[in-house]
Amino acid sequence: MPVFRHTIRPVFRHEVFFTRGALQPENPVMARVFAREGARPPRVLVVVDRAVVKARSSLFAEIKNYFSAHAKRAHLVSAPLLVPGGEPAKNDWRLVERLWAAMERHGLSRQSYVVAIGGGAVLDLVGFAAATAHRGIRLVRLPTTSLSQADGGVGVKSGVNYFGKKNWVGAFGVPAAVINDFDFLRALPAAAARGGVVEAFKVGLIREPRLANFIAKNAARLARREPAVVEKVIQESARLHLRHIATGGDPFEMGAARPLDYGHWVAHKLEQMSHFGLSHGDAVAVGLALDARYAAATGWLPARDARRIAKVLETLGCDLGDGRKNPLVRRLLAQRDRRGKFAVLAGLEEFRQHLGGALTLTLLRAWGRGEETRVVDLELMAQVIDEVIRG
């Protein structure tokens, strides 16, 4: 029988803009994104994280004024749609249906745009709804947290939680644009502010020693949230993420490895076990330190580097399991399953299942150099967890 075969090589434009005052009428960045396709102004639905409006009461008026000033480039179909923020929003399937209903009611098509303004959870929620409506409505992201500006908002993934598992339902899709407005970072609480720095530190540890060194050298300034150093770290993290997506060879994760998810098997499980009471950034910090300690125990990583990683994270304000800053982390790590095993270890199998195939983890070989492994000594990992709990 004949076989018909062609290679499909789609080309995507993935752009991340850095600016201030993105919603001020004189700022042209977003309007230019809408004006790319033809002369007819596209229909635009704006969805906003409730927490952002709470911190910035003028936001709805800013959105209205912006689209009024740029009416020749985009047609705002309604007042912004408000959705709850935080990881619990990704557990409520009714929110997805509500977003779909709004898109259908306002006649959005594949030539329309959905603008998502909020933290990572809202960007995930809105991105999934947009990606699955009409098989893909164009998405513009305005991340409002350091974590989403440095990491999640820059990526090509979206998803919601299902079966009690993080991002079990989701989609890949390159956003029409990511617009990082540093003005949104001013009102963030401490945990949200350090989340992006933790993710940037992760990228530096596995890919870019200069970034890891910069964060280590400036950890105290970053903890004080000095704008100059925070913004530099976020920009560099976003640049490295974008470079990995575009040139890493596997932008839609068809393989079994997720190198940028170093430390995340721990983080995702701890978030789940805490019913998402533990922030993603703080959970990732635990994962980075734990996997570094494990790598040192296997002989992969010099012990001094594992200690240095822990010190940097603690200086940033993270609790790594000793209970001094956040007793919740220690309780989660100490939790046992029915067989008496550390419950967090189930995260390894869930991590494997998410992609299928053999378990593939990124561990550190050196400060600034990650390497993949498919061999995990569960007894040694349990010993490392026990050592963390005991301090």
Side-chain angles (χ1 to χ4, degrees), residues 6-46:
H6 288 278
T7 300
I8 300 175
R9 294 188 178 90
V11 176
F12 299 96
R13 175 168 58 186
H14 191 8
E15 294 180 312
V16 180
F17 300 90
F18 283 89
T19 187
R20 298 182 191 280
L23 293 171
Q24 296 304 304
E26 63 272 18
N27 190 317
V29 174
M30 186 161 57
R32 287 175 179 169
V33 172
F34 298 141
R36 285 174 181 165
E37 310 294 338
R40 189 174 182 181
R43 300 175 72 79
V44 180
L45 174 68
V46 178

Coordinates of all heavy atoms in Angstrom, one line a residue, residues 6-46:
H6 N 4.7 14.0 4.0 CA 5.3 15.4 3.9 C 5.8 15.8 5.2 O 5.3 15.4 6.3 CB 4.3 16.4 3.4 CG 3.9 16.2 1.9 ND1 4.7 16.7 0.9 CD2 2.9 15.5 1.3 CE1 4.1 16.4 -0.3 NE2 3.0 15.7 0.0
T7 N 6.8 16.6 5.3 CA 7.3 17.3 6.5 C 6.7 18.6 6.6 O 6.8 19.5 5.7 CB 8.8 17.3 6.5 OG1 9.4 16.0 6.4 CG2 9.3 18.0 7.8
I8 N 6.0 18.9 7.7 CA 5.4 20.2 8.0 C 6.3 21.0 8.9 O 6.7 20.6 10.0 CB 4.0 20.0 8.6 CG1 3.1 19.2 7.7 CG2 3.4 21.4 9.0 CD1 1.8 18.9 8.3
R9 N 6.7 22.2 8.4 CA 7.6 23.0 9.2 C 6.9 24.4 9.4 O 7.2 25.4 8.7 CB 8.9 23.2 8.6 CG 9.8 21.9 8.5 CD 11.2 22.2 8.0 NE 12.0 21.0 8.0 CZ 12.1 20.2 7.0 NH1 11.4 20.4 5.8 NH2 12.9 19.1 7.0
P10 N 6.0 24.5 10.3 CA 5.3 25.8 10.5 C 6.3 26.8 11.1 O 7.2 26.5 11.8 CB 4.2 25.5 11.5 CG 4.7 24.3 12.2 CD 5.5 23.5 11.3
V11 N 6.1 28.1 10.8 CA 7.0 29.2 11.3 C 6.1 30.0 12.2 O 5.1 30.5 11.9 CB 7.6 30.0 10.2 CG1 8.4 31.2 10.7 CG2 8.4 29.2 9.2
F12 N 6.6 30.2 13.4 CA 5.9 31.1 14.4 C 6.8 32.3 14.8 O 8.0 32.2 14.9 CB 5.7 30.3 15.7 CG 4.8 29.1 15.5 CD1 5.4 27.8 15.3 CD2 3.4 29.2 15.5 CE1 4.6 26.7 15.2 CE2 2.6 28.1 15.3 CZ 3.2 26.8 15.2
R13 N 6.1 33.4 15.0 CA 6.8 34.6 15.5 C 6.4 34.7 17.0 O 5.2 34.8 17.4 CB 6.3 35.8 14.8 CG 6.9 37.1 15.4 CD 6.7 38.3 14.5 NE 5.3 38.5 14.2 CZ 4.9 39.5 13.4 NH1 5.7 40.2 12.7 NH2 3.6 39.6 13.1
H14 N 7.4 34.6 17.9 CA 7.2 34.6 19.3 C 7.9 35.9 19.8 O 9.2 35.9 19.8 CB 7.8 33.4 19.9 CG 7.4 33.2 21.4 ND1 6.5 34.0 22.0 CD2 7.8 32.3 22.3 CE1 6.3 33.6 23.3 NE2 7.1 32.5 23.5
E15 N 7.2 36.9 20.3 CA 7.8 38.1 20.7 C 7.4 38.5 22.1 O 6.3 38.3 22.6 CB 7.3 39.3 19.8 CG 7.7 39.2 18.4 CD 7.2 40.3 17.5 OE1 6.0 40.6 17.6 OE2 8.0 40.9 16.8
V16 N 8.4 38.9 22.9 CA 8.2 39.3 24.3 C 8.7 40.8 24.4 O 9.9 41.1 24.1 CB 9.0 38.5 25.3 CG1 8.8 39.0 26.7 CG2 8.6 37.0 25.1
F17 N 7.8 41.7 24.7 CA 8.1 43.1 24.8 C 8.2 43.5 26.3 O 7.5 43.0 27.1 CB 6.9 44.0 24.2 CG 6.7 43.7 22.8 CD1 5.8 42.7 22.4 CD2 7.3 44.4 21.8 CE1 5.5 42.5 21.0 CE2 7.1 44.2 20.4 CZ 6.2 43.2 20.1
F18 N 9.2 44.4 26.6 CA 9.3 45.0 27.9 C 9.0 46.4 27.8 O 9.5 47.1 26.9 CB 10.7 44.7 28.5 CG 10.9 43.3 29.0 CD1 11.4 42.4 28.1 CD2 10.7 43.0 30.3 CE1 11.6 41.1 28.6 CE2 10.8 41.7 30.7 CZ 11.3 40.7 29.9
T19 N 8.1 46.9 28.7 CA 7.7 48.3 28.7 C 7.2 48.7 30.0 O 7.2 48.0 31.0 CB 6.6 48.4 27.6 OG1 6.3 49.8 27.4 CG2 5.3 47.7 28.0
R20 N 6.8 50.0 30.1 CA 6.1 50.5 31.3 C 4.8 51.2 30.7 O 4.8 51.7 29.6 CB 6.9 51.5 32.0 CG 8.2 50.9 32.6 CD 9.0 51.9 33.4 NE 10.3 51.5 33.8 CZ 10.6 50.6 34.8 NH1 9.6 50.2 35.6 NH2 11.8 50.2 35.0
G21 N 3.8 51.2 31.6 CA 2.6 51.9 31.1 C 2.0 51.3 29.9 O 1.6 52.1 29.0
A22 N 1.9 50.0 29.8 CA 1.4 49.3 28.6 C 0.0 49.8 28.2 O -0.4 49.7 27.1 CB 1.4 47.8 28.8
L23 N -0.8 50.2 29.2 CA -2.2 50.6 29.0 C -2.4 52.1 28.9 O -3.5 52.6 28.9 CB -3.1 50.0 30.0 CG -3.2 48.4 30.0 CD1 -3.9 47.9 31.2 CD2 -3.9 48.0 28.7
Q24 N -1.3 52.8 28.9 CA -1.4 54.3 28.7 C -1.6 54.5 27.2 O -1.0 53.9 26.3 CB -0.2 55.0 29.1 CG 0.1 54.9 30.6 CD -1.1 55.4 31.4 OE1 -1.6 56.5 31.3 NE2 -1.6 54.5 32.3
P25 N -2.5 55.4 26.8 CA -2.9 55.6 25.4 C -1.7 55.9 24.5 O -1.6 55.5 23.3 CB -3.8 56.8 25.4 CG -4.5 56.7 26.7 CD -3.4 56.2 27.7
E26 N -0.7 56.6 25.0 CA 0.5 56.9 24.2 C 1.5 55.8 24.0 O 2.4 55.9 23.2 CB 1.3 58.1 24.9 CG 1.8 57.8 26.3 CD 0.9 58.1 27.4 OE1 -0.4 58.2 27.1 OE2 1.4 58.2 28.5
N27 N 1.2 54.6 24.7 CA 2.1 53.4 24.5 C 1.6 52.6 23.3 O 0.5 52.1 23.4 CB 2.1 52.6 25.8 CG 3.1 51.5 25.8 OD1 3.3 50.8 24.7 ND2 3.8 51.3 26.9
P28 N 2.3 52.5 22.3 CA 1.8 51.8 21.0 C 2.0 50.3 21.0 O 1.5 49.7 20.0 CB 2.7 52.5 19.9 CG 4.0 52.7 20.6 CD 3.7 53.0 22.1
V29 N 2.6 49.7 21.9 CA 3.0 48.3 21.8 C 1.8 47.4 21.5 O 1.8 46.7 20.5 CB 3.8 47.8 23.0 CG1 4.1 46.3 22.9 CG2 5.1 48.6 23.2
M30 N 0.8 47.4 22.3 CA -0.3 46.5 22.2 C -1.1 46.8 20.9 O -1.5 45.9 20.2 CB -1.2 46.4 23.4 CG -2.3 45.4 23.3 SD -3.0 45.0 24.9 CE -3.6 46.6 25.5
A31 N -1.3 48.1 20.7 CA -2.1 48.5 19.5 C -1.4 48.0 18.2 O -2.1 47.6 17.2 CB -2.2 50.0 19.5
R32 N -0.1 48.1 18.2 CA 0.6 47.6 17.0 C 0.5 46.1 16.8 O 0.5 45.6 15.6 CB 2.1 48.0 17.1 CG 2.4 49.4 16.9 CD 3.8 49.8 17.1 NE 4.1 51.2 16.9 CZ 5.2 51.8 17.3 NH1 6.2 51.2 17.9 NH2 5.3 53.1 17.1
V33 N 0.3 45.3 17.8 CA 0.1 43.9 17.7 C -1.2 43.7 17.0 O -1.4 42.9 16.1 CB 0.1 43.2 19.1 CG1 -0.3 41.8 19.0 CG2 1.5 43.3 19.7
F34 N -2.3 44.4 17.4 CA -3.6 44.2 16.8 C -3.6 44.7 15.4 O -4.4 44.1 14.6 CB -4.6 45.1 17.6 CG -4.8 44.7 19.0 CD1 -5.0 45.7 20.0 CD2 -4.8 43.4 19.4 CE1 -5.2 45.3 21.3 CE2 -5.0 43.0 20.7 CZ -5.2 44.0 21.7
A35 N -2.8 45.6 15.0 CA -2.8 46.2 13.7 C -2.0 45.4 12.6 O -1.9 45.7 11.5 CB -2.3 47.6 13.7
R36 N -1.5 44.2 13.0 CA -0.6 43.4 12.1 C -1.4 42.9 10.9 O -0.9 42.8 9.8 CB 0.0 42.3 12.9 CG 1.2 42.7 13.8 CD 1.6 41.4 14.6 NE 2.7 41.8 15.5 CZ 3.0 41.0 16.5 NH1 2.4 39.8 16.7 NH2 4.0 41.3 17.3
E37 N -2.6 42.4 11.2 CA -3.3 41.7 10.2 C -4.4 42.5 9.5 O -5.5 42.7 10.1 CB -4.0 40.4 10.8 CG -3.0 39.6 11.7 CD -2.0 38.9 10.8 OE1 -2.2 38.8 9.6 OE2 -0.9 38.6 11.4
G38 N -4.1 43.1 8.4 CA -5.2 43.7 7.6 C -5.6 45.1 8.1 O -5.1 45.6 9.2
A39 N -6.6 45.7 7.5 CA -7.0 47.0 7.9 C -8.2 47.0 8.8 O -8.5 48.0 9.4 CB -7.3 47.8 6.6
R40 N -8.9 45.9 8.9 CA -10.1 45.8 9.7 C -9.8 45.6 11.2 O -9.1 44.6 11.5 CB -11.0 44.7 9.2 CG -12.4 44.7 9.8 CD -13.2 43.6 9.1 NE -14.6 43.6 9.7 CZ -15.5 42.8 9.3 NH1 -15.2 41.9 8.3 NH2 -16.7 42.8 9.8
P41 N -10.2 46.5 12.1 CA -9.9 46.3 13.5 C -10.4 45.0 14.0 O -11.6 44.7 13.9 CB -10.6 47.5 14.2 CG -10.8 48.5 13.1 CD -11.0 47.7 11.8
P42 N -9.6 44.1 14.6 CA -10.1 42.9 15.2 C -10.9 43.0 16.4 O -10.7 44.0 17.1 CB -8.7 42.1 15.5 CG -7.8 43.2 15.7 CD -8.1 44.3 14.8
R43 N -11.7 42.1 16.7 CA -12.5 42.1 17.9 C -11.6 41.6 19.1 O -10.9 40.6 18.9 CB -13.7 41.2 17.8 CG -14.7 41.6 16.6 CD -15.8 40.7 16.4 NE -16.8 40.7 17.5 CZ -17.7 41.7 17.6 NH1 -17.8 42.6 16.7 NH2 -18.6 41.6 18.6
V44 N -11.7 42.2 20.2 CA -10.8 41.9 21.3 C -11.7 41.8 22.6 O -12.5 42.6 23.0 CB -9.8 43.1 21.5 CG1 -8.9 42.7 22.7 CG2 -9.0 43.3 20.3
L45 N -11.4 40.7 23.3 CA -12.0 40.4 24.6 C -10.9 40.5 25.6 O -9.8 39.8 25.5 CB -12.7 39.0 24.7 CG -13.2 38.6 26.1 CD1 -14.4 39.5 26.5 CD2 -13.6 37.1 26.0
V46 N -11.0 41.3 26.7 CA -10.0 41.4 27.7 C -10.5 40.7 29.0 O -11.6 40.8 29.4 CB -9.8 42.9 28.1 CG1 -8.7 43.0 29.2 CG2 -9.3 43.6 26.8

